[in-house]
């Protein structure tokens, strides 16, 4: 739940609702953004005329014999123009491989953390990917920093900064 003092922004199930909350006598549901059954909003941030929705998208491969153990998880971030609270308009979407971990908003930026197990398939390390309308881009190994901490489980941890006001700026 977030508020700007007059409106409430609420994540519930697969929906993000925008409600007029003040003055209380005029309280009403203004709009609802509904996501698919495989897409789950987890967090939101509101600032000026922008609403950022963060969440996870789960895909179970159709040929999987063990669907509980084989799953494709992506983290998405959608930026909406909410200057008209009754009709939020999607301005930009961002998606990358891995699970949503946490997020913060500082100024115009939303910082979020995505976590992905480091594993090898047929002698190939599966690197994190960024998805767009044109397809996907794999984060190159030269862009990845290594921490020499002893552990028995290895993860890719990606920290992304997204400007919610200047959407043309690359994450």
């Amino acid at each position: 739940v977030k508020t700007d003092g007059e409106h409430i922004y609420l994540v519930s199930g697969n929906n993000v609702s925008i409600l007029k909350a003040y003055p209380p006598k005029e309280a009403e549901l203004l709009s609802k953004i509904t996501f698919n059954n495989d897409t789950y909003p987890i967090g939101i941030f509101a600032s000026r005329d922008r609403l950022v929705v963060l969440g996870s998208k789960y895909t179970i491969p159709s040929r999987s014999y063990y669907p509980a153990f084989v799953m494709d998880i992506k983290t998405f971030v959608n930026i909406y123009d909410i200057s008209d609270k009754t009709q939020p308009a999607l301005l930009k979407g961002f998606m990358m491989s891995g699970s949503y971990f946490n997020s913060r908003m500082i100024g115009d930026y939303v910082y979020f953390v995505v976590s992905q197990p480091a594993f090898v398939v047929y002698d190939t390390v599966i690197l994190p990917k960024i998805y767009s309308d044109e397809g996907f881009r794999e984060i190159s190994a030269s862009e990845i920093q290594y921490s020499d901490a002893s552990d028995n489980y290895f993860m890719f941890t990606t920290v992304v900064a997204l400007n919610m006001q200047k959407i043309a700026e690359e994450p």
Side-chain angles (χ1 to χ4, degrees):
V1 175
K2 300 289 189 234
T3 184
D4 61 12
E6 184 177 343
H7 300 91
I8 293 175
Y9 307 92
L10 170 71
V11 175
S12 178
N14 284 24
N15 301 303
V16 175
S17 301
I18 301 176
L19 301 101
K20 182 171 176 65
Y22 187 84
K25 290 182 181 181
E26 296 176 19
E28 67 175 316
L29 175 65
L30 297 177
S31 61
K32 186 183 289 188
I33 302 167
T34 302
F35 293 88
N36 298 333
N37 290 335
D38 61 350
T39 307
Y40 301 92
I42 297 170
I44 53 174
F45 294 103
S47 178
R48 299 195 297 261
D49 61 349
R50 298 283 195 261
L51 175 69
V52 173
V53 179
L54 300 105
S56 296
K57 180 175 177 64
Y58 298 91
T59 305
I60 299 173
S62 60
R63 295 180 183 244
S64 174
Y65 294 106
Y66 304 102
F69 302 106
V70 179
M71 189 178 297
D72 181 25
I73 303 172
K74 295 181 181 80
T75 296
F76 73 88
V77 180
N78 289 348
I79 302 175
Y80 294 89
D81 179 344
I82 54 168
S83 52
D84 179 356
K85 308 277 191 276
T86 63
Q87 295 183 345
L90 179 64
L91 296 175
K92 182 176 186 170
F94 176 86
M95 189 177 307
M96 73 175 303
S97 59
S99 300
Y100 170 86
F101 184 74
N102 210 338
S103 59
R104 296 286 183 271
M105 182 175 73
I106 302 171
D108 290 344
Y109 285 86
V110 172
Y111 298 90
F112 58 99
V113 180
V114 178
S115 163
Q116 175 181 320
F119 56 95
V120 177
V121 175
Y122 301 116
D123 296 327
T124 302
V125 176
I126 306 302
L127 298 171
K129 295 173 183 62
I130 298 171
Y131 295 86
S132 68
D133 292 337
E134 293 83 36
F136 69 89
R137 176 180 80 83
E138 192 170 69
I139 295 175
S140 71
S142 64
E143 295 178 81
I144 296 173
Q145 301 296 314
Y146 172 73
S147 171
D148 195 19
S150 63
D151 201 345
N152 60 357
Y153 190 75
F154 298 100
M155 301 285 294
F156 290 110
T157 301
T158 306
V159 179
V160 182
L162 184 69
N163 190 326
M164 65 189 294
Q165 300 299 329
K166 297 177 183 172
I167 62 167
E169 185 178 308
E170 286 296 313

